[in-house]
Amino acid sequence: MTITEDRPSDAATPEIGRSRARKEDQRLITGRTRWTDNIQLPGMLHLAMVRSPFAHATVTAINTDEARKAPGVVGVITGADIKDVQGAVANAWPLNGEQKTPNHLPVVVDHVACAGEIVAVVAARTAAEARDAAELVDVDYDELPAVLDLKEAVKDEVLAHPDLGTNTSAVWTLDSAAQGSGTDVEDEIAAARSDGVVIEREFRQQRLIPAFMEPRSTVCDPTGEQMTVWSSTQVPHILRFLVAATTGIPESKVRIIAPDVGGGFGGKLQTTPEEFATIAVARRLGKPCKYTETRSESLLSGHHGRDQWQKLTLSARKDGTVTGLKVELLADLGAYVGVVGGGVPVLGAWMFNSIYKFAAYHFTVRTLLTNKTWVDAYRGAGRPEATFAIERMMDELAAELGRDPLEVREQNWITHGEFPFTTVAGMTYDSGNYEAATAKAKELFGYDELRAEQKHRRESNDPVQLGIGISTFTEMCGLAPSRILGALNYGAGGWESASIRMLATGKVEVLTGVSPHGQGHETAWSQIVADRLGVPFEDVEVLHGDTQISSKGMDTYGSRSLVVGAEAVVRAADKVIEKAKVVAAHLLEASVDDIEFTGGRFGVKGTDKGVTMPEVALATWTGHNLPDGVEPSLDADATFDPDNFSFPHGTHLCAMEVDTETGATTMRKYVCVDDIGNIINPLIVEGQVHGGLVQGIAQALWEGAEYDDQGTLVTGSFVDYTLPTSADTISFVTDHTTSPSTYTTLGTKGVGEAGAIASTPAVVNAIVDAVRAFGVDDILMPCTPERVWKAIQKGRSVPGEGERDAQPHFDEGVPNQDPGAATEGSQA
Amino acid sequence: MIPAQFDYLAPTSVADAVAALAEHGDEAKVLAGGQSLLPILRMRLNAPGVVIDLGRIPELQGVSEDGDHLVIGAMTTYAAVLASEAVTTHAALLSKAIATVADPQIRHRGTVGGALVHADPAGDVGAPALALGAELVIAGADGSTRTVAAEDFFEDLFATAVGEGELLTQIRIPKHTGWGAHYEKFVRVSHQWSIVGVAATVRSEGGSIAEARVGLTNMGSTPLRARSVEEALVGQPATDEAVRAAVASVNDGTNPPSDLNGDSDYRKHLATVLTRRAVLAAAGA
Ligand SMILES: Cc1cc2nc3c(=O)[nH]c(=O)nc-3n(C[C@H](O)[C@H](O)[C@H](O)COP(=O)(O)OP(=O)(O)OC[C@H]3O[C@@H](n4cnc5c(N)ncnc54)[C@H](O)[C@@H]3O)c2cc1C
């Protein structure tokens, strides 16, 4: 990575493409800013939550007497107290009309469906007093049997929500034959069974926790005409809508502010029980209230991510041409269907076929309720799962054929000349160049040299084996065309909104409907607007995250901010220019048609006459000399609804060393060449790629949320939920190729999730590649040293395992089988 | 993460600290670097009425030499131990082990005494203390002191010979000048407690191992000393083959836990591999 110094603006060099250090860094890094927990209001009370220790229980009695008497306590509120006013935690994306969606109350009234659910809220003058009093609330529970395991849940023997009669929330299918985008996958598999290759595997996407840096916090001030809520959220606009929709408070009476927010990774795109509880208690007591969670509460009660079993059947001809892919998923939703919880696996439905040209494709997901923390979007949401599955399968196919895995991929991928390309899943990829990214990655990686070293280590029986993992990923982001969302039964649109305000002094305010939480939007948007309007970077102020200021928006997730949100900004800027042109022409006594706008100056063609944007802004503000009928304002709004998704892609190559004596793995080299279209700020992109890579690598190697058989989260602190730090990672080699998006002005594609989507299979493929010679063809994630070592022992103990028949058929009627049973046991 | 309310005392001498302990009995808890105690208080796993901070007691600080012993004050931080040339010279094993504890922030707060009394079997200080034959000086209520051998100090999970009303004041370590040392810590992420750790220190003579000391971290409810390995190593050349054979008995008397990082059998396997590596590295092979 190159550190590039901040350069002052000079009109000659475009801002777009500059590695500007982020405007927001100083205040964010020093913490001298408006983190929600920094907010203090006069008379503000502090809340502490009383949470259920049981995974599944009926609340039979709550005695709050002792707590009420404790020093500083102003109120102890139970679910029954606010039953009719607390609103509900909503699901915005029912997969279909039959979906079972348990009612999700912020503070439970009688039924606890997972450990950590809130049963009472204590309000006190200080946070310490609230915490002390919370210990005194006496709750009686009748424990109910809990269903914790996904495959147990399928059987419907123990129910997470007995009143629903089943644990299945929904079943959703996409089939290429049925929708006319390809052939029938069963035919292709049957053909391959008789004269081809069939690869069958089952993979586990373990449960992950989106461990954002800033724990969640909410302040609600119920006094005044508009209730004001500050919250550490990714989605202030969605929160406003859902507060209004579920509590009955008129939307016009609700102002939501997401001040500076310290990370989210999807974990803050939820409207949370804690937000609703804080609002309900503040309104009931008529006082401002603050709730800030502890890290333990965050790990337990913020939504979790992933958690699927993936059963995959891939058919190919003997020459390596893939003919079909069948995907059957079980997805654990946890105790409730989150805001897009059920939809997350479905977001992967179009991506299992990835960059390849398969004839047939089938996808089914069964979403299931269990008595664990609810699951929703986590960086990548659906696409990491899909990418993992297909990229692992392509390696398995190559291994079965005894061919180089890159070569097998190339044989099957969409070639450069074939764009735009409509896939077997029905998406139209607008642009891309898999050959270029792969060629560059191979060279940076030293692919042939590392393959030679691998061969040497194998032949010399080195205790440290080397493996090479590949992930040629694509993903769909830039959520989303509203019409497609409508067709999918999603509860909102996917457009984005922006406004530009031209101030009298020539400064520019940009209002954006997306809601940054660490991405650096203020910097990138300033660069874009500086170029567009020809004003200095420093003169652009980006305002966001307050429904009273940037009143419309769909917020930030799904790598949509730049692709959709900044496109709205560009369109608003273009409207400003059009309005300013009219004023400039008038001031210059020229015809509008003769005005040219370049470098921030309106000039008259063929003359040296001109006025600058700030001069036009001032003239407009005074209103002294405007053309007849022209309003004294250059301000403009734009709302952009994309026509398509954005399809970034890239080639990631990873070399892993495996110590066969201990199972320890060490990353040797990681190269990624991403194609994310045009780049606004290379430094920010680098940061997004690095962070994403580490999160994806962490899924492969380190992270995993584990419960005991009582439904208690065992990985409830950072002692056991092993997040990596910089000491655990190596220096990544990152580079780019560029295939601009064809349907946006800026030609950008999303990058926020790319690293996390691509890296997981690259790492696991590398580990499996390193030990495949021992008869290993899969290792459960996280690939702990113990699992790697045991896989080697198991492979070694089965004679001929290395060359075994690669067509084990899934047992009839079994929903999924467990390839990792031998090592899973140790996780109890 | 707010602890329950407690009173705070900061005595400036061991005598005052011991007196305060006597006064408050089991209501009181001693605070050293706080790196284990504070998380416990903040998670409300313990709620002492009085916290007695040892941080203002000069006599508990620092490293000194006393003839053929090193003397480390109980309140000496990891960072101070790492900076001590005396420790590097005469008890290299302790430095090597301490260098692997957590991260620099924690090493600037956490103390050797706190770590030993906390007695987490996954902690990295117990095994080297045991291997080096450390003696622990304990101050009692009546102003008396007693000295306990490391072997007798660790009683069980989180339990030591330091009784109610007592303080650990000093760690006395026989000098192992000229001994090679290595601490082999096995973790999944860098800031983790040992899944298994092996502390080995070796005196070589004419190309073979003359004496060896081996301590094991997280292979039982207390740190363990692998005496049979120590004996088997005497007189052996520092070769892979010889050491491999000598460490075969390392699991005699071990009873490692099973958890998310690995089951008991896996830990036993690790112990054999890591002990071989630690001994070879200590012997400079
Ligand atoms: C994130 C993190 C990672 C860590 N990683 C590691 C690691 O990798 N390896 C490792 O070994 N440790 C690790 N630790 C623990 C660390 O080493 C602690 O500092 C140590 O265990 C306790 O030392 P302390 O001085 O902080 O003691 P404190 O936390 O202050 O006290 C610990 C206990 O000892 C008692 N006590 C302290 N001093 C005395 C005394 N003189 N006499 C009598 N009783 C006393 C206290 O009452 C308390 O019960 C980690 C800690 C953290 C927070």
Side-chain angles (χ1 to χ4, degrees):
Chain A
M1 186 172 109
T2 38
I3 300 296
T4 316
E5 268 178 60
D6 240 7
R7 284 174 298 169
S9 296
D10 66 90
T13 326
E15 279 294 334
I16 290 181
R18 272 192 184 185
S19 279
R20 276 204 175 265
R22 305 192 315 173
K23 284 183 165 186
E24 38 289 72
D25 279 347
Q26 188 178 352
R27 66 171 207 270
L28 296 183
I29 290 169
T30 60
R32 291 180 168 274
T33 189
R34 295 149 297 160
W35 303 119
T36 302
D37 191 52
N38 284 352
I39 291 166
Q40 301 293 348
L41 301 176
M44 187 176 75
L45 303 177
H46 297 261
L47 307 185
M49 304 299 173
V50 179
R51 296 180 183 274
S52 168
F54 299 110
H56 197 189
T58 306
V59 176
T60 53
I62 304 179
N63 185 335
T64 61
D65 296 348
E66 286 304 309
R68 280 177 201 283
K69 284 185 240 153
V73 170
V74 176
V76 182
I77 287 100
T78 65
D81 295 333
I82 51 175
K83 193 160 73 271
D84 303 322
V85 295
Q86 64 170 334
V89 186
N91 166 239
W93 187 359
L95 292 185
N96 49 44
E98 295 86 59
Q99 175 176 293
K100 299 259 193 275
T101 313
N103 193 14
H104 190 176
L105 295 176
V107 182
V108 306
V109 174
D110 49 21
H111 183 240
V112 168
C114 64
E117 281 215 82
I118 303 167
V119 293
V121 187
V122 177
R125 303 223 175 271
T126 67
E129 287 167 332
R131 191 68 259 160
D132 284 345
E135 312 262 302
L136 302 174
V137 175
D138 191 11
V139 185
D140 289 340
Y141 299 92
D142 268 356
E143 258 195 280
L144 298 168
V147 57
L148 301 165
D149 181 82
L150 195 46
K151 291 182 182 179
E152 285 299 313
V154 179
K155 298 180 194 159
D156 275 348
E157 286 164 7
V158 177
L159 298 180
H161 292 270
D163 56 323
L164 295 180
T166 175
N167 291 320
T168 293
S169 175
V171 176
W172 191 93
T173 295
L174 185 157
D175 186 274
S176 62
Q179 72 176 20
S181 56
T183 56
D184 190 325
V185 82
E186 297 299 347
D187 295 345
E188 303 292 353
I189 292 170
R193 284 207 202 282
S194 61
D195 184 29
V197 185
V198 177
I199 309 283
E200 298 180 282
R201 290 285 185 279
E202 187 178 42
F203 299 130
R204 171 90 175 118
Q205 291 288 327
Q206 80 270 36
R207 185 175 268 254
L208 299 172
I209 303 181
F212 32 76
M213 183 122 37
E214 181 211 15
R216 298 169 305 159
S217 177
T218 301
V219 173
C220 174
D221 182 356
T223 62
E225 256 323 286
Q226 261 193 339
M227 171 179 83
T228 305
V229 179
W230 292 260
S231 197
S232 175
T233 177
Q234 295 174 224
V235 292
H237 297 92
I238 293 173
L239 179 59
R240 183 193 200 201
F241 173 81
L242 287 174
V243 166
T246 69
T247 64
I249 306 171
E251 193 178 351
S252 52
K253 297 285 186 194
V254 182
R255 176 186 184 188
I256 308 279
I257 302 171
D260 282 325
V261 175
F265 311 119
K268 291 177 185 167
L269 67 57
Q270 202 63 251
T271 61
T272 67
E274 290 81 1
E275 287 168 331
F276 282 92
T278 304
I279 292 168
V281 170
R283 294 180 76 218
R284 184 179 168 93
L285 299 175
K287 298 258 190 190
C289 287
K290 181 199 282 182
Y291 169 72
T292 300
E293 70 184 356
T294 63
R295 181 61 70 183
S296 315
E297 287 178 296
S298 189
L299 294 174
L300 176 63
S301 300
H303 76 237
H304 293 175
R306 315 271 198 274
D307 207 339
Q308 298 179 358
W309 278 109
Q310 310 177 301
K311 183 174 157 184
L312 301 142
T313 311
L314 181 138
S315 61
R317 288 202 278 273
K318 283 178 179 157
D319 73 353
T321 307
V322 180
T323 55
L325 177 68
K326 184 174 165 189
V327 178
E328 294 158 278
L329 302 185
L330 299 179
D332 191 341
L333 298 177
Y336 296 101
V337 195
V339 67
V340 291
V344 167
V346 169
L347 276 176
W350 292 274
M351 284 292 123
F352 278 85
N353 54 296
S354 188
I355 63 172
Y356 307 110
K357 298 180 284 189
F358 302 159
Y361 174 61
H362 175 93
F363 172 97
T364 300
V365 60
R366 176 184 293 270
T367 58
L368 287 141
L369 296 156
T370 60
N371 296 113
K372 292 181 294 186
T373 301
W374 40 324
V375 172
D376 206 314
Y378 173 54
R379 203 170 191 171
R383 294 99 79 209
E385 297 91 312
T387 304
F388 180 85
I390 186 59
E391 290 306 294
R392 284 282 299 110
M393 289 301 271
M394 292 307 277
D395 260 33
E396 293 303 302
L397 173 64
E400 173 64 16
L401 297 170
R403 287 177 51 193
D404 180 279
L406 264 178
E407 192 189 293
V408 173
R409 283 173 170 81
E410 180 155 19
Q411 180 182 346
N412 285 286
W413 74 38
I414 302 157
T415 59
H416 180 43
E418 290 174 299
F419 289 95
F421 184 89
T422 299
T423 70
V424 69
M427 279 285 154
T428 302
Y429 298 174
D430 60 337
S431 65
N433 189 336
Y434 310 139
E435 296 90 333
T438 301
K440 203 168 195 176
K442 267 182 92 168
E443 193 189 318
L444 290 169
F445 190 65
Y447 187 80
D448 298 333
E449 292 82 346
L450 283 166
R451 281 276 181 226
E453 181 184 332
Q454 174 182 41
K455 186 159 175 277
H456 174 73
R457 282 178 188 263
R458 230 167 242 176
E459 285 167 359
S460 65
N461 215 0
D462 196 315
V464 178
Q465 288 291 314
L466 182 69
I468 294 171
I470 297 159
S471 170
T472 49
F473 85 106
T474 190
E475 62 128 337
M476 53 186 258
C477 61
L479 306 184
S482 298
R483 260 184 282 177
I484 295 185
L485 293 180
L488 291 173
N489 214 18
Y490 186 76
W495 48 262
E496 201 39 79
S497 154
S499 303
I500 292 193
R501 301 199 293 225
M502 297 301 299
L503 305 184
T505 52
K507 311 291 181 193
V508 184
E509 284 178 341
V510 178
L511 284 53
T512 180
V514 294
S515 198
H517 40 281
Q519 294 89 345
H521 293 170
E522 290 173 29
T523 302
W525 276 219
S526 296
Q527 290 179 272
I528 293 165
V529 171
D531 271 3
R532 207 80 191 168
L533 296 182
V535 296
F537 170 82
E538 295 76 13
D539 287 357
V540 184
E541 202 65 34
V542 180
L543 309 175
H544 55 77
D546 181 342
T547 61
Q548 207 175 68
I549 293 171
S550 53
S551 61
K552 287 192 298 178
M554 287 293 173
D555 307 318
T556 289
Y557 43 81
S559 302
R560 69 188 301 274
S561 290
L562 181 64
V563 181
V564 188
E567 182 67 18
V569 171
V570 167
R571 292 180 183 212
D574 287 350
K575 287 185 186 174
V576 169
I577 294 166
E578 285 314 304
K579 288 173 88 173
K581 240 182 208 173
V582 175
V583 177
H586 180 76
L587 295 175
L588 294 165
E589 297 175 338
S591 151
V592 175
D593 298 335
D594 290 336
I595 301 291
E596 284 176 326
F597 180 64
T598 47
R601 186 171 178 277
F602 296 90
V604 182
K605 275 182 206 156
T607 75
D608 60 1
K609 288 203 303 182
V611 284
T612 63
M613 183 61 102
E615 286 167 346
V616 177
L618 182 63
T620 307
W621 179 73
T622 65
H624 295 168
N625 181 19
L626 296 180
D628 290 344
V630 168
E631 62 171 355
S633 166
L634 297 179
D635 299 353
D637 303 331
T639 304
F640 172 65
D641 198 346
D643 295 327
N644 196 354
F645 292 90
S646 160
F647 302 98
H649 71 83
T651 297
H652 289 224
L653 300 175
C654 172
M656 294 294 292
E657 290 177 356
V658 176
D659 178 344
T660 57
E661 283 193 305
T662 61
T665 58
T666 311
M667 190 170 286
R668 166 84 171 271
K669 191 160 193 184
Y670 197 102
V671 168
C672 66
V673 176
D674 288 313
D675 190 330
I676 54 164
N678 293 331
I679 290 175
I680 306 300
N681 181 323
L683 190 59
I684 290 180
V685 164
E686 188 87 2
Q688 289 293 322
V689 171
H690 277 230
L693 290 180
V694 174
Q695 271 179 319
I697 293 167
Q699 176 174 11
L701 297 178
W702 299 303
E703 293 181 35
E706 297 286 346
Y707 285 81
D708 68 12
D709 54 13
Q710 300 297 302
T712 303
L713 181 67
V714 178
T715 52
S717 83
F718 285 153
V719 173
D720 297 305
Y721 192 78
T722 39
L723 284 182
T725 65
S726 54
D728 299 299
T729 57
I730 62 169
S731 284
F732 307 122
V733 179
T734 67
D735 208 333
H736 299 278
T737 52
T738 307
S739 310
S741 161
T742 58
Y743 67 92
T744 61
T745 314
L746 294 169
T748 58
K749 299 179 178 180
V751 71
E753 295 160 294
I757 290 168
S759 59
T760 312
V763 176
V764 177
N765 277 338
I767 294 172
V768 173
D769 185 47
V771 296
R772 197 181 286 281
F774 299 112
V776 176
D777 67 11
D778 193 31
I779 298 171
L780 278 186
M781 295 189 292
C783 299
T784 60
E786 181 190 33
R787 285 179 172 160
V788 174
W789 184 76
K790 286 191 171 173
I792 296 170
Q793 302 313 305
K794 190 170 162 227
R796 273 180 169 154
S797 67
V798 182
E801 180 76 359
E803 312 90 51
R804 76 173 165 70
D805 175 14
Q807 304 190 10
H809 295 177
F810 289 129
D811 292 340
E812 245 356 274
V814 174
N816 266 313
Q817 58 190 14
D818 180 356
T823 52
E824 180 77 337
S826 66
Q827 292 298 302
Chain B
M1 302 286 266
I2 304 169
Q5 213 169 357
F6 54 79
D7 287 335
Y8 172 83
L9 299 175
T12 52
S13 69
V14 170
D16 287 354
V18 172
L21 266 179
E23 186 186 337
H24 297 285
D26 61 4
E27 265 293 280
K29 199 84 188 132
V30 162
L31 173 69
Q35 298 306 294
S36 295
L37 184 62
L38 290 189
I40 290 170
L41 299 189
R42 289 160 72 99
M43 290 193 209
R44 296 192 175 219
L45 300 174
N46 196 338
V50 182
V51 168
I52 302 170
D53 184 354
L54 304 183
R56 313 241 171 110
I57 306 177
E59 62 201 280
L60 293 179
Q61 300 279 352
V63 180
S64 57
E65 292 183 49
D66 179 10
D68 56 1
H69 277 73
L70 279 179
V71 181
I72 302 176
M75 284 298 290
T76 311
T77 62
Y78 294 128
V81 171
L82 288 175
S84 160
E85 230 184 276
V87 178
T88 335
T89 310
H90 303 300
L93 183 59
L94 189 64
S95 302
K96 297 248 164 127
I98 284 178
T100 72
V101 172
D103 56 44
Q105 270 176 305
I106 289 163
R107 292 198 294 267
H108 275 84
R109 282 268 164 208
T111 66
V112 176
L116 290 170
V117 181
H118 187 58
D120 184 332
D124 297 303
V125 186
L130 200 56
L132 290 167
E135 294 162 350
L136 294 309
V137 182
I138 299 171
D142 48 2
S144 68
T145 61
R146 60 194 178 103
T147 301
V148 177
E151 216 111 350
D152 303 321
F153 182 79
F154 299 106
E155 295 180 344
D156 204 345
L157 284 173
F158 305 106
T160 69
V162 177
E164 217 184 284
E166 290 186 319
L167 280 184
L168 176 66
T169 57
Q170 289 181 346
I171 298 99
R172 295 174 57 84
I173 299 178
K175 287 184 180 173
H176 283 66
T177 319
W179 290 51
H182 187 78
Y183 188 67
E184 185 78 20
K185 175 169 175 168
F186 193 82
V187 285
R188 293 176 48 217
V189 290
S190 60
H191 54 284
Q192 215 180 0
W193 274 263
S194 284
I195 295 172
V196 173
V198 179
T201 191
V202 166
R203 187 171 62 80
S204 304
E205 226 173 60
S208 61
I209 296 170
E211 283 183 275
R213 302 284 178 269
V214 177
L216 305 176
T217 303
N218 214 15
M219 288 300 291
S221 58
T222 65
L224 298 174
R225 188 154 163 191
R227 288 211 185 254
S228 63
V229 173
E230 293 176 1
E231 282 156 24
L233 283 168
V234 175
Q236 295 296 328
T239 63
D240 189 89
E241 207 184 350
V243 174
R244 192 181 287 265
V247 306
S249 63
V250 70
N251 281 303
D252 289 357
T254 63
N255 181 22
S258 289
D259 59 27
L260 288 178
N261 293 307
D263 64 18
S264 182
D265 286 345
Y266 175 65
R267 280 192 163 86
K268 286 185 176 175
H269 165 74
L270 280 182
T272 59
V273 177
L274 303 180
T275 304
R276 168 169 44 91
R277 291 179 181 180
V279 169
L280 285 170

